[in-house]
Amino acid sequence: MNVEPLGKIYDIQGFSVQDGPGVRTTVFLKGCPLRCPWCHSPESQRFETELNWMSIRCLGLESCGLCLDACPHGCISRGESTVNAVGEPIAYPSVDKSQCDECGKCATACKATALYMCGSDMTIAEVMRRLTRDKPFFDTSGGGVTVSGGECLSQPEFTTELLRQCKAAGIHTAVDTTGFVPWSVVLRVMPLTDLFLYDLKCMDSELHKQVIGTPNELILDNARKIGESGGKLWIRIPTLPMFNDSEAHFQRYGEFLAAIRDAVVMVQLLPYHKMGLSKYDRLLTRKPVFVAEPPSDAVMEARKSQLESLGLPVRIH
Ligand code: SF4
Ligand code: SF4
C-alpha cells in the first residue's frame, strides 16, 4: 500500500508576483539546512512545528490572560508591563521556550491567535485543492505554482509528488531552492520543474561557511549541472554590504553565470533590507544577529550593469 507523503507546510500564499513569472501561488515548506543570518523567514528554518506569538494580536493579560493557565509545564508567566502599538500600557505573557515541548495547548487556549503553531502536516490532496482554485489566475497571467521554503527539496518525497500533480494538472512549476541538496534529489524533480529559483548567496566557499554555516561547492555544482542538463535557472543574489556586494565578488558571479548563460533566464538582485526583523520576535527565542545597512542604490545599479555587460538579464528586486 502506498502511503501518501505529508508535507510540513508553514504557509500557502496566493497572488505572489515575486516568486517567478506571472501570478503565482507559493507553497512554503518548513525546514532549511542553511542559517543565513539575514533570513527574512526565520520561522521556516526549523523542520518541526513550533510555537509563535504575534504581539499585535495579543489582547494583553488584563483583558484576556487565557494562556497563563494553559501550559502544563508552567512555561507561561506574566511579562513586564510595556506599551502596545498605540501607546497604551499593557502586560504581555512571557514564554520560557527552554521548557516548551511545542504541545500547542496555549495556542489552542488563545482565542485571538496571538499564540499559534507554525507548521502543519498537509497531504498532497489538501494542497492541490488549494492550488487548483488559483489555476484561472495562472492561466491568464503565465504564472503557476512555486514550491519554496525553507528548503523544499529537504522534503523530497512530498515536493516531488506535489510537482508531479501540478504538472498533471497543467500548472507551470517553479522550485525555489538554496541548492544545498544532493544532486540525486535535483535530478528527480528536474523533469517536473519548469524553472528553478536558485539562490547564489556567496561565491567564496570559506566565507559562505563562516557566515551561513555550509560551504558552497555543492550549491555551485548543482547549479552548473542544472544548466548543463537543460534546466532553467532564475538566479537570486541576496546582496549584502561587506559580504558579497563588491565589484570583485560580482566578477566571480559573472564568470560563473556566463558559463551557463543559456540556462539563466533571469538574475534577480535582492538588496538586503530589514523588513523581516520583526518576525524574529514571534519565535520567542531567537533574535536577529545581523543588522547590516542595505546597499546603496548606486552600488545595486553598478552591480546590475556589471552582470549585464556579460550578456546576462538582470533585475533589481
Ligand atoms: S491568550 Fe492570547 S490574546 Fe490572551 S493574553 Fe494570552 S497570548 Fe494574549
Ligand atoms: S506550546 Fe509550549 S508554552 Fe505552549 S502550552 Fe505547550 S509547552 Fe507550554
Side-chain angles (χ1 to χ4, degrees):
M1 188 181 75
N2 278 342
V3 179
E4 195 186 4
L6 290 173
K8 181 75 80 183
I9 288 169
Y10 73 93
D11 203 3
I12 299 178
Q13 278 178 14
F15 299 101
S16 167
V17 290
Q18 312 294 350
D19 295 324
V23 174
R24 311 192 71 81
T25 300
T26 304
V27 183
F28 293 94
L29 274 68
K30 215 162 159 0
C32 184
L34 306 189
R35 286 293 177 269
C36 305
W38 59 85
C39 179
H40 64 271
S41 306
E43 73 276 32
S44 74
Q45 292 182 347
R46 283 182 60 201
F47 285 88
E48 301 82 16
T49 298
E50 59 188 324
L51 180 67
N52 276 219
W53 176 74
M54 214 185 281
S55 63
I56 197 153
R57 292 183 186 161
C58 181
L59 306 171
L61 297 176
E62 280 80 6
S63 311
C64 175
L66 288 171
C67 52
L68 283 177
D69 297 325
C71 180
H73 305 301
C75 297
I76 304 183
S77 59
R78 186 183 180 86
E80 286 177 13
S81 292
T82 179
V83 289
N84 65 13
V86 290
E88 295 162 341
I90 192 165
Y92 289 127
S94 166
V95 181
D96 175 7
K97 281 298 280 294
S98 67
Q99 303 301 316
C100 172
D101 64 4
E102 317 282 0
C103 73
K105 289 187 173 137
C106 58
T108 304
C110 177
K111 303 302 176 215
T113 65
L115 286 161
Y116 61 98
M117 301 310 289
C118 177
S120 57
D121 294 323
M122 294 182 76
T123 63
I124 298 280
E126 286 171 322
V127 178
M128 284 306 293
R129 264 198 297 280
R130 168 69 185 81
L131 299 180
T132 47
R133 223 171 60 192
D134 294 346
K135 188 154 186 306
F137 302 107
F138 306 154
D139 293 345
T140 51
S141 69
V145 165
T146 298
V147 192
S148 181
E151 173 49 70
C152 63
L153 296 180
S154 290
Q155 299 185 48
E157 304 298 329
F158 181 85
T159 297
T160 304
E161 187 53 28
L162 184 61
L163 292 167
R164 193 187 317 282
Q165 295 207 17
C166 284
K167 292 307 295 172
I171 296 173
H172 180 276
T173 55
V175 165
D176 180 4
T177 180
T178 63
F180 194 73
V181 290
W183 172 245
S184 57
V185 172
V186 181
L187 211 47
R188 252 168 83 181
V189 298
M190 193 128 75
L192 307 166
T193 305
D194 294 309
L195 179 66
F196 287 92
L197 305 181
Y198 204 99
D199 285 7
L200 289 183
K201 298 168 199 294
C202 177
M203 294 303 291
D204 184 295
S205 189
E206 220 15 74
L207 186 58
H208 200 285
K209 187 170 180 192
Q210 200 183 323
V211 174
I212 297 170
T214 63
N216 71 358
E217 283 85 357
L218 178 64
I219 296 167
L220 297 181
D221 274 358
N222 284 342
R224 193 180 296 112
K225 287 182 189 161
I226 291 172
E228 290 168 356
S229 311
K232 293 296 171 201
L233 290 158
W234 178 304
I235 299 293
R236 306 218 270 199
I237 302 177
T239 310
L240 295 98
M242 312 290 289
F243 178 60
N244 65 354
D245 75 338
S246 69
E247 187 177 346
H249 205 109
F250 265 66
Q251 183 66 27
R252 295 176 70 175
Y253 277 125
E255 285 165 10
F256 179 81
L257 294 173
I260 48 170
R261 169 72 192 81
D262 289 347
V264 177
V265 299
M266 182 56 65
V267 181
Q268 193 176 22
L269 305 184
L270 308 164
Y272 167 73
H273 62 72
K274 300 180 181 178
M275 281 185 283
L277 287 181
S278 64
K279 285 190 177 177
Y280 285 83
D281 292 335
R282 298 181 196 168
L283 293 170
L284 297 159
T285 47
R286 283 165 280 152
K287 295 286 177 197
V289 291
F290 191 88
V291 284
E293 290 305 312
S296 68
D297 291 349
V299 166
M300 293 305 298
E301 286 298 336
R303 297 301 161 259
K304 178 172 181 276
S305 303
Q306 198 180 337
L307 295 185
E308 282 173 339
S309 72
L310 299 169
L312 292 159
V314 189
R315 174 192 294 180
I316 298 173
H317 180 70

